[in-house]
Amino acid sequence: MESEDNYIAAIKEIACALVETTIRNVEEYFQTKHGAPLQEAEKYIAQNITWIPCQDFTIELGMKQIEEYISTWEFHESWLHCTDFLNEEEVEFSKLYHYRTRWSIPTRRKPIPRATACVYFTIQISKVKPLSLPVEVFFIFESTRLVHRPGQSRFREKWLKDIIESKLIMMENIIF
């Protein structure tokens, strides 16, 4: 029994040594390929802005704040977008203000894009919390259900591309 325990302990020791060596090799690979240690490459802070207090909120100021927040996103300069106010909704404990930002990539050959991608923003003004607290903001990408919050989620340009690409594929299959 004791020899079996020694055998298992030796196997565990060798396995740990192999895992540590593999991790070291991967870190060295990333450092030589990307010029930074793996830990630094993985670090990313989701961008955010300072949102206005509920008491100062207006529809126009909400739109300006959304534009300010979008300016923190990383996307290619060929993307164009416009933000529109959609509607105001009153619920039991808050007021919701809905906005839509449409994205497209117009080109010289096709100045009117065949498809756009939308991001829907909601600004929530609480009726029960102190008015000195900042507004709450949520956003979703068209055709998805995942709710994002500023400062907690990193924008990916690929999400917009995927929406446009799926629309173009669908339109190819529709015969008019």
Side-chain angles (χ1 to χ4, degrees):
M1 187 72 165
E2 194 174 308
S3 65
E4 189 176 314
D5 289 340
N6 290 340
Y7 178 72
I8 292 173
I11 290 175
K12 285 182 181 179
E13 188 177 324
I14 292 170
C16 286
L18 283 172
V19 168
E20 287 176 10
T21 304
T22 304
I23 289 172
R24 240 188 337 271
N25 289 342
V26 169
E27 285 177 343
E28 288 173 11
Y29 168 78
F30 271 98
Q31 191 166 10
T32 56
K33 184 164 182 142
H34 301 292
L38 185 60
Q39 295 86 7
E40 289 179 25
E42 288 179 346
K43 289 181 186 176
Y44 183 84
I45 297 171
Q47 298 295 316
N48 201 355
I49 63 168
T50 303
W51 295 91
I52 57 171
C54 293
Q55 63 198 13
D56 297 337
F57 178 81
T58 63
I59 291 171
E60 293 78 22
L61 196 51
M63 193 176 308
K64 286 180 184 173
Q65 288 248 278
I66 289 171
E67 288 293 330
E68 182 183 347
Y69 173 64
I70 288 173
S71 72
T72 67
W73 291 357
E74 297 173 13
F75 53 88
H76 192 270
E77 61 189 23
S78 61
W79 283 97
L80 295 180
H81 69 276
C82 72
T83 303
D84 299 310
F85 174 71
L86 297 177
N87 66 341
E88 177 182 331
E89 178 184 359
E90 189 140 353
V91 292
E92 188 175 1
F93 298 109
S94 61
K95 274 189 175 182
L96 305 174
Y97 295 86
H98 301 281
Y99 298 84
R100 175 186 59 211
T101 302
R102 284 191 202 162
W103 293 82
S104 65
I105 305 178
T107 62
R108 284 188 175 158
R109 288 187 170 201
K110 293 186 180 181
I112 299 173
R114 292 179 53 208
T116 61
C118 293
V119 182
Y120 295 94
F121 287 88
T122 300
I123 297 180
Q124 181 178 12
I125 309 294
S126 175
K127 293 179 182 176
V128 293
K129 293 180 182 176
L131 292 176
S132 59
L133 290 177
V135 297
E136 291 190 47
V137 182
F138 314 92
F139 61 98
I140 62 169
F141 289 82
E142 177 180 2
S143 75
T144 65
R145 290 193 215 172
L146 180 62
V147 178
H148 301 271
R149 289 176 169 266
Q152 296 180 1
S153 155
R154 181 179 177 188
F155 169 78
R156 301 278 194 220
E157 184 178 345
K158 181 181 181 341
W159 297 337
L160 297 176
K161 289 179 181 177
D162 288 347
I163 293 168
I164 289 176
E165 187 177 304
S166 66
K167 284 183 177 182
L168 293 175
I169 290 170
M170 183 188 71
M171 286 192 295
E172 287 174 1
N173 294 322
I174 297 175
I175 301 170
F176 291 99

